[in-house]
Amino acid sequence: MRRRSLWADMDWLSVLLYALLVSVGWISIYAADFDGLRTGMFDLSTSHGKQILWVTVALVLAILIVIIDNKFYTTFAYLIYGLVMVMLVMIFFIGSEVKGNKSWFVLGGFSIQPSEFAKFATALAVAKYLSSQGANMKYWSTRFIVGAIILLPMMLILYQGDAGSALVFLSFVLVLYREGLSSWVLVGGGLFVALSLLSLAIDEKLYLVVGIVLATAVIIYLLRKHIRIAMLVGAIAVSSIGYIYAVSYFFGKLKPHQKDRIEVVLGKLEDKKGAGYNLDQSKIAIGSGGFSGKGFLNGTQTKGNFVPEQTTDFIFCTVGEEHGFIGTMIVLGLFMALLARIVYISERQRSKFTRLYGYGVASILFFHIIINIGMTIGLVPVIGIPLPFLSYGGSSILSFTILLFILLKLDSDRLAVLR
Amino acid sequence: MDIFKNRRFIILGIFASFFVVFALHLFYIQIIDDSYEALANQNVIRNVTVYPNRGLIYDRNGMLIVENDATYEIFVIPKQVKDIDTALFCQLLAIEPQYFIDQMTKAKNYSRYVPSSFLKNLSVEQYASFQEHLYMFPGFYGDIRLVRKYPQHSAAHVLGYTGEISQKKLDAQSYYKSGDYIGISGLEATYEPFLRGHKGSKLILVDKFNREQGSFKDGIYDTAAISGHNLTVTLDIELQVYAEQLMQNKRGCVVAIEPSTGEILVMVSAPSYDPNLLTGRQRGNNYVMLQKDTLKPLFNRAISGGSYPPGSTFKSIMALMGLQEGTLQPYDVYPCFGGFRLGSHTVGCHDHAQLTDLSSAIQHSCNAYFCYVFKNIIDQSKFATSDEALAKWDSYLYSFGLGNKLGVDIPGENSGHVPTPKYYNNIYQKGHWKSSTIISLAIGQGELGITPLQMANMTCAIANRGYYFTPHFVKFIENDTTNFVKHYSGKNKTKVEQRYFDEVVEGLYQTVQAGTGRIAQIEGYEVCGKTGTVENPHGKDHSAFITFAPKVNPRIVVLAFVENSGFGATYAAPIASLVMEKYLNDTIAANRLFLEKRMIETDLIHPKVISSNEAP
Ligand SMILES: [Zn+2]
């Protein structure tokens, strides 16, 4: 067995991309936080000061992850998953409420959000299960078990009131797809999203229903030679109509502010000071950045506190306002490069476990990036989830660092072992 | 073995397609669409108008008569108002909840994004307590505004007032914005272009709570306000205050002019009002109150009251015309048997001593004498028609500043009325009127209309022996490159030569020495004067007195006009002469203090007081 230096087979390109993203994040936090008074880099009363501390902790953690034998992750995948699930349950009893979500443990001056750690734990568990002997996506039993592994944390987190973090677990669909889940699920998922948006966007459901019925009639007529497929299309049409009414029924049950947020994105509500405020202001901040931005520390919207949560969920605004289109393209480019690199890394594994985990990492990161940036530029409803590596916050930076570095550790051993 | 390996391309494709869509969207909102930049500026940049100091006004002796007082104005940007404690808000500003609702509705209807004025004229103290709570009221902010203050509480009609610009004026120009203050009447209106200065502007960065964060780009787009020009006026404010005091509880006016320059020393229109009533928060209410007052305190009788016939004071002009035309000689004597009769026309006269010459006719104000003078002018054989004769007669009056606006530098002047041939042709038809028809003009009655200012100015022309300067208030405008004041330095010559004046002036001197104006004598000065009584068909006659002194090189002309007060010597002459004495001597002689006291205490407006005062 080959025994090489711990670091020789590290994927340094990924580490570089990681370092760049964290740096961009810290600079943006510094700018968003800047008040002209507390300019010290290590001032712990500021967000940028605390972020340095968190990044330092994250780096120590990253080194630990690399030092630990990689058997640890495969061996204890279920245990880690189990522990995090226990934490998610315990939170109902001893958790603290922050911003309306009872999903935090407060320790000393710092608060930790277990749902952040549920992401890598679930990625480990899914990888462990699907790489185990006898698991295959073509069996219903496998589908059922892997579904349960994903849905358990999702439901627990949803029940805490943190819908944004719960939705992240939907991203595992991509992992399952890679492992053989039917393409119909992706198509169905797309149809599901499209129908959901349409049924919320169009007030008169009857038009939608009539449209579906007519389209289905035409398709069935064309497919009249293929009775089975025609019947399938008919069944899909019927369930679509049912789904439309179900969506509008549940939409009616939503709390007013939740409804408003959805309606703003759909363009049905144009109250610039109401629900659309966050969205509108962040779009203004980014849009006003122009090609090269207003310059470091010169963002007027961020200085005026017009954008809420500007160090956490809306950190991308600071990039867009102060560094313009160049800045946003650099950030998008870094993320795309990292995602592509992770897919590349995943595919070069001989270990199925590592490959599965790698896709889990890519999917989770992708979902976060799309939802967060999409929200700041007004393409997605306001869902409060952080932008990986850039957003301020200990739980966020630690969990994404753990997520990525476990993969890099597993990858660095790809030549040494075969599992 | 891994049959799904190619799915990695589909997954990468999904990743990439989202990134491409995002990049395109960012390209659109950051580079193509400019509206976000405008919205961002609207968010954070508040364009604040910097109002200049309005020019101060001083009197001829350098006494400050108009200054500026700091108040605050509250503005609202309806879009930014959110979740405020209305009860606390109303309490801090001392306003009714209904006012809050009304103003918010008004502001929203105007614009949700542009600031509207919410409340004006907040005192410095009131604003201070509000400002402490300003952070609780996003969408509101305060700004300093200067309002006028009149420390002497005097000369309201001359100084005029300022107020918000009217919609009509607003539409006609571009400098002023809605809610700006502008001079509406008096000197404030005439000298608006000098007094207003030039507004500046500054861009201030604000946060979402409207708290100021400093100036935008270190103020490179800011422009400083330029203060207005200070104005020195010809008024003698102490004398003005004194004249107002003498005129209290009376209707009428006092005008004093320096004849050698045309500078107006005093212009009182009674009843008057404290000019401070038309500044500040109660301005609107006070204005309505003054407007409803049946005594018309807002009305400047001195320049706008054009319907008074001049009465006997006009006889001097008649004499001068006769002398110039050669139809009258200083030694001419005409019979008076208690009046003048010509055909069916009769003009009565009062008892007086035997006349010896023109001077004595003026001294005793004989009506018959001046009817002859008038008749002889009009009936000259050189005139083919009455039209021609009257046109000539009119031209003399015009040269004395009658019948047309004098051009005094405050708005609202009436031109008075000098009847033209056309005027009588309309009444009697052409060729059907002659000197006897219009004989009442001879003694300043009939169809003549003359403003008190014109009467005072006419007296200046007599005092100067043949010329006058357009009466005016402006004395000096600070830093005025156009030299506006020179408009008032030109002599206006009368059509009567200087050599004819001495006889008339002598008559006016004798009037005070031994005639109807004896009460106007001032120790140590040769005072000239003429009483006048203006018939008033609606009630008690108006009394008038014109006077100037000294006889040679006169320093002051005073006109007093007291409505419904009877004979000229009773009130008009004492008031005019007291004003004159105060000006010439700075003090009132001890033996005339009783007169001063009586004039101040006389009340001709409130009936009860009149009866108690006039009871024997
Ligand atoms: Zn007589």
Side-chain angles (χ1 to χ4, degrees), chain A residues 177-178 180-181 273 281 283 286-287 290 301 304-306 320 324-325 328 332 347 355 359 366 374 377, chain B residues 2 4-5 7-8 10 15 18-19 22 25-27 29-31 36 40 43-44 79 82 206-208:
Chain A
Y177 171 72
R178 171 63 184 83
L181 187 68
K273 262 304 199 183
Q281 292 297 340
K283 212 170 158 185
I286 295 170
Q301 305 302 294
N305 285 309
F306 286 91
F325 186 66
T328 55
L332 279 185
E347 291 293 345
R355 184 180 77 215
Y359 271 98
F366 173 69
I377 59 180
Chain B
D2 185 353
F4 301 116
K5 198 168 176 65
R7 286 192 173 184
R8 69 180 189 273
I10 292 175
F15 289 178
F18 272 92
F19 275 77
F22 279 25
H25 187 70
L26 280 164
F27 182 77
I29 68 170
Q30 292 192 293
I31 294 174
Y36 293 101
N43 256 344
V44 297
K79 184 187 84 142
K82 200 183 171 196
V206 294
D207 69 6
K208 69 169 176 174

Side-chain angles (χ1 to χ4, degrees), chain B residues 127-178:
Chain B
Y127 181 69
S129 67
F130 176 72
Q131 197 183 21
E132 283 170 24
H133 298 85
L134 198 58
Y135 71 94
M136 294 165 69
F137 308 121
F140 289 92
Y141 66 94
D143 205 358
I144 194 163
R145 282 297 284 270
L146 296 172
V147 295
R148 288 305 227 188
K149 190 178 169 188
Y150 306 91
Q152 309 294 334
H153 304 269
S154 167
H157 295 104
V158 176
L159 301 174
Y161 53 89
T162 57
E164 269 182 44
I165 187 168
S166 66
Q167 193 59 46
K168 206 176 127 197
K169 279 185 193 159
L170 199 57
D171 295 342
Q173 53 75 55
S174 62
Y175 173 80
Y176 298 97
K177 298 276 171 279
S178 177

Side-chain angles (χ1 to χ4, degrees), chain A residues 305, chain B residues 46 135 205-213:
Chain A
N305 285 309
Chain B
R46 194 160 73 207
Y135 71 94
L205 285 174
V206 294
D207 69 6
K208 69 169 176 174
F209 299 109
N210 247 321
R211 290 178 300 213
E212 294 188 4
Q213 305 287 300

